[in-house]
């Protein structure tokens, strides 16, 4: 229960969904967690649930698209706790249905890149000076997406932005590893959350489940457990990696689901 004891962790976009799962597990492992996002009421509810269970958490407003908001979050966290050990770049605009190349407007493209790549880049850039002050460095964990694993019929801008997150991860790891600052990326598969459960069509769930190698969809805690490992000292020799946490969804050729329906293992 103390894998993150005495560490100060910021989890962006932690007022709902995957971010809540990460933050709750961080707190359970002893971290001081900064919950941040635009919805104060929801953020405070997450803080209350963590403190009720004996953890330590505070809420701070942050808008991932506003640079001053990012700067203030980091400065206030440093002032309050004296250090920043872990940053989870989770905040993003999930544009899974943003469209085909010919359908996308420049405005939609720019909006998705602003929140999903530009925001991750700027938060990473701004946290580096704080982590460089630490003797032990720090751990940056970017939340990517399985959308960056290959082409798709839609979600073009979202997939491209998340592919950029993959490369930003590797560049950051390379450039700051000698200063004990590690950077890794976690790509979630289909994660069903309390917020999206009612909005994900059953037909889509069935398609995913037929391709997932385990017998369930993912949940926020599945991503949270990987993030705990990457935030902890257990992963001190792990950096520049992209971990796909998807129940094996992207571990096989695309025809597996069809062959399963035929009860066939071959052509």
């Amino acid at each position: 229960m103390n894998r993150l004891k005495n560490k100060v962790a910021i989890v962006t976009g932690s007022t709902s969904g995957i971010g809540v799962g990460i933050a709750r597990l961080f707190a359970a492992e002893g971290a001081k967690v900064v919950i941040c996002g635009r919805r104060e009421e929801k953020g405070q509810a997450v803080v209350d649930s963590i403190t009720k269970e004996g953890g330590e958490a505070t809420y701070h407003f942050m808008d991932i698209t506003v640079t001053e908001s990012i700067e203030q979050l980091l400065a206030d966290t440093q002032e309050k706790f004296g250090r920043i050990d872990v940053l989870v770049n989770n905040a993003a605009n999930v544009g899974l249905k943003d469209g085909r190349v010919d359908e996308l407007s420049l405005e939609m493209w720019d909006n998705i890149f602003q929140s999903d790549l530009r925001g991750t880049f700027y938060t990473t850039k701004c946290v580096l000076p704080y982590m460089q002050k630490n003797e032990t460095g720090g751990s940056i964990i970017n939340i990517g997406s399985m959308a960056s694993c290959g082409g798709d019929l839609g979600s073009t801008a979202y997939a491209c932005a998340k592919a950029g997150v993959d490369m930003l991860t590797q560049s950051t790891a390379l450039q700051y590893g000698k200063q004990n600052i590690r950077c890794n990326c976690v790509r979630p598969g289909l994660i069903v959350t309390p917020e999206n459960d009612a909005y994900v069509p059953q037909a889509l769930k069935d398609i995913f489940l037929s391709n997932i190698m385990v017998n369930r969809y993912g949940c926020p805690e599945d991503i949270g457990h990987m993030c705990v490992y990457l935030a902890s000292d257990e992963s001190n020799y792990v950096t520049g990696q992209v971990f796909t946490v998807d129940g094996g969804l992207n571990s096989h050729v695309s025809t597996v689901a069809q062959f399963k329906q035929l009860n066939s293992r071959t052509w």
Side-chain angles (χ1 to χ4, degrees), residues 78 84-85 124-140 172 175-181:
Q78 177 73 21
I84 301 172
D85 299 287
T124 298
K125 172 184 171 67
C126 291
V127 84
L128 287 170
Y130 297 106
M131 289 187 171
Q132 287 167 335
K133 295 177 182 178
N134 302 335
E135 291 182 6
T136 54
S139 175
I140 300 170
T172 304
Q175 295 165 16
Y176 302 97
K178 297 298 185 183
Q179 299 174 49
N180 292 321
I181 297 173

Side-chain angles (χ1 to χ4, degrees), residues 109-211:
W109 176 275
D110 289 343
N111 285 342
I112 291 173
F113 265 71
Q114 182 180 38
S115 65
D116 290 26
L117 183 54
R118 183 177 183 268
T120 296
F121 157 73
Y122 195 69
T123 310
T124 298
K125 172 184 171 67
C126 291
V127 84
L128 287 170
Y130 297 106
M131 289 187 171
Q132 287 167 335
K133 295 177 182 178
N134 302 335
E135 291 182 6
T136 54
S139 175
I140 300 170
I141 305 167
N142 296 325
I143 304 301
S145 172
M146 66 176 180
S148 67
C149 295
D152 190 72
L153 295 173
S155 66
T156 306
Y158 177 75
C160 290
K162 287 301 188 180
V165 170
D166 293 350
M167 187 52 64
L168 175 63
T169 297
Q170 294 179 326
S171 296
T172 304
L174 170 65
Q175 295 165 16
Y176 302 97
K178 297 298 185 183
Q179 299 174 49
N180 292 321
I181 297 173
R182 298 180 295 109
C183 187
N184 293 284
C185 179
V186 180
R187 285 177 178 163
L190 176 63
I191 305 298
V192 177
T193 71
E195 291 81 12
N196 71 14
D197 191 17
Y199 299 99
V200 179
Q202 188 60 46
L204 181 60
K205 291 181 180 179
D206 291 342
I207 291 171
F208 273 94
L209 195 57
S210 68
N211 284 281

Side-chain angles (χ1 to χ4, degrees), residues 52-259:
K52 184 178 180 180
E53 295 173 1
E56 184 173 349
T58 59
Y59 169 77
H60 196 294
F61 175 85
M62 188 204 70
D63 185 336
I64 195 63
T65 66
V66 179
T67 56
E68 294 82 3
S69 176
I70 294 170
E71 293 165 1
Q72 195 66 55
L73 164 69
L74 299 173
D76 289 349
T77 300
Q78 177 73 21
E79 182 178 359
K80 181 178 180 63
F81 296 105
R83 60 189 299 114
I84 301 172
D85 299 287
V86 181
L87 168 66
V88 180
N89 283 312
N90 173 67
N93 174 23
V94 182
L96 292 178
K97 297 295 181 183
D98 59 59
R100 292 156 43 106
V101 172
D102 63 312
E103 297 169 339
L104 278 170
S105 66
L106 280 176
E107 181 181 15
M108 181 178 290
W109 176 275
D110 289 343
N111 285 342
I112 291 173
F113 265 71
Q114 182 180 38
S115 65
D116 290 26
L117 183 54
R118 183 177 183 268
T120 296
F121 157 73
Y122 195 69
T123 310
T124 298
K125 172 184 171 67
C126 291
V127 84
L128 287 170
Y130 297 106
M131 289 187 171
Q132 287 167 335
K133 295 177 182 178
N134 302 335
E135 291 182 6
T136 54
S139 175
I140 300 170
I141 305 167
N142 296 325
I143 304 301
S145 172
M146 66 176 180
S148 67
C149 295
D152 190 72
L153 295 173
S155 66
T156 306
Y158 177 75
C160 290
K162 287 301 188 180
V165 170
D166 293 350
M167 187 52 64
L168 175 63
T169 297
Q170 294 179 326
S171 296
T172 304
L174 170 65
Q175 295 165 16
Y176 302 97
K178 297 298 185 183
Q179 299 174 49
N180 292 321
I181 297 173
R182 298 180 295 109
C183 187
N184 293 284
C185 179
V186 180
R187 285 177 178 163
L190 176 63
I191 305 298
V192 177
T193 71
E195 291 81 12
N196 71 14
D197 191 17
Y199 299 99
V200 179
Q202 188 60 46
L204 181 60
K205 291 181 180 179
D206 291 342
I207 291 171
F208 273 94
L209 195 57
S210 68
N211 284 281
I212 293 172
M213 295 298 98
V214 297
N215 293 317
R216 64 177 178 85
Y217 314 112
C219 63
E221 289 72 22
D222 291 317
I223 307 306
H225 286 302
M226 176 60 79
C227 289
V228 166
Y229 168 68
L230 294 174
S232 75
D233 294 340
E234 298 165 18
S235 60
N236 271 343
Y237 202 56
V238 179
T239 192
Q241 302 305 303
V242 179
F243 297 92
T244 303
V245 182
D246 64 357
L249 177 63
N250 288 284
S251 66
H252 57 76
V253 296
S254 58
T255 51
V256 162
Q258 289 86 349
F259 281 132

